[in-house]
Amino acid sequence: MVPVRTAGTTDDAWATRTLSAAAPVHLAHTLAPLRRGPGDPCHQITPDGAHWHTSRMPTGPVTYRLVQDDPATVTADAWGAGAAEFLDGLDRMLCLDEKVDDFVAVHPTVAAAHQRHPGLRMLRTGRVLEALIPAILEQKVTIVSAHAAWRRLVHSFGSPPPGPAPAGMRVPPDAATWSRIPSWSFHRANVGPQRWQTVVRAARVADSLERTAALPSGEAARRLRTIPGIGEWTAAETAQRAFGDADALSVGDFHLASIVGWTLLGRDIDDAEMVEYLEPVRPHRYRTIRLLEVSGQARKPRFGPRAPITDHRRR
């Protein structure tokens, strides 16, 4: 459906679209990877179940609100200079064109999850820097610390969102702003030199990074890894959100291999064994992980007293 627009200035322009898919779309499960912890200034879920998000499209900033009307229908409202562009690309973002006919479950638990959650989609936002920078912040620290850093930096250096966004929301900084954030501001956000220098390097080549969204996901991830400080884990986390890559396995995550091992094999495994075990499900290794997550089956037993866990995610 062509977006319907109301009159207004560029900043307060509003457009809406109702998207009817040929197959189920579970909006909450599909959008979950966009949210960077509680209090994310770029993503909120309001009591009415609406998902609010802010972004920077090539045509300008946008605030959008997505609501699930029925299992195959989503209503989208968008405000700002980037509203029309966002709505035009909503089908692509929600990966309505993806094919899962070749999906072969590696375990009965995965097969059952796939059957129960047919509305799970991958995400293809096309906004590379917006997916990459939070992933860089999450390298080798606790997820709580990374989310706190994201909140602080976006609140300090982001901009007010267009439209009637919920209180506290911000549009993430643009590339030029990320590249000019002083080192002491990163320090106050508990972001060490290795991570903030990687953020700045990425921001300085943002135009090249954004063009990778038009490439095959494997080649796009390879180009991301040419930037010092960006390795396999960070590239995979970015590909999962920006490229719609259903195979982007987060090798190097402190917990993931153990979760896969305990959930599907009843024992602990390492990265190498996880990669070998999931090889038969290519190109759906990340889809397999998401199915375990949304099904509530993913587990990792705790041994000994509870204590803070450092993620130690690799680059």
Side-chain angles (χ1 to χ4, degrees), residues 93-266:
M93 173 181 155
L94 296 178
C95 290
L96 299 188
D97 59 341
E98 67 180 356
K99 306 297 183 185
V100 294
D101 297 345
D102 59 344
F103 179 77
V104 178
V106 73
H107 188 278
T109 297
V110 179
H114 183 54
Q115 185 175 15
R116 287 198 305 271
H117 301 282
L120 175 67
R121 303 281 179 160
M122 299 297 99
L123 266 174
R124 191 189 294 122
T125 67
R127 312 311 304 138
V128 180
L129 197 68
E130 290 179 13
L132 176 60
I133 287 180
I136 294 171
L137 296 178
E138 291 172 9
Q139 293 174 351
K140 301 184 178 181
V141 296
T142 65
I143 199 66
V144 172
S145 174
H147 288 164
W150 172 250
R151 289 194 300 270
R152 180 162 187 161
L153 292 167
V154 173
H155 277 302
S156 296
F157 298 99
S159 57
M169 292 197 75
R170 304 281 284 175
V171 178
D174 60 17
T177 301
W178 281 115
S179 70
R180 293 194 301 264
I181 294 177
S183 60
W184 59 84
S185 293
F186 281 110
H187 178 73
R188 289 169 183 162
N190 199 28
V191 179
Q194 182 176 2
R195 288 183 292 147
W196 72 252
Q197 289 169 7
T198 302
V199 168
V200 171
R201 278 193 294 267
R204 288 174 176 169
V205 296
D207 288 345
S208 297
L209 290 179
E210 298 300 344
R211 288 195 291 270
T212 63
L215 299 173
S217 57
E219 174 61 16
R222 185 195 67 78
R223 295 197 186 187
L224 289 179
R225 295 196 299 271
T226 64
I227 299 175
I230 297 176
E232 185 177 8
W233 181 87
T234 307
E237 292 285 309
T238 304
Q240 292 163 7
R241 295 163 174 84
F243 305 148
D245 189 347
D247 200 52
L249 185 64
S250 297
V251 176
D253 190 282
F254 186 73
H255 302 290
L256 186 58
S258 289
I259 289 171
V260 171
W262 284 108
T263 303
L264 301 181
L265 299 173

Side-chain angles (χ1 to χ4, degrees), residues 6-15 78-81 83 162-164:
T6 65
T9 66
T10 299
D11 290 338
D12 66 6
W14 168 73
W79 294 263

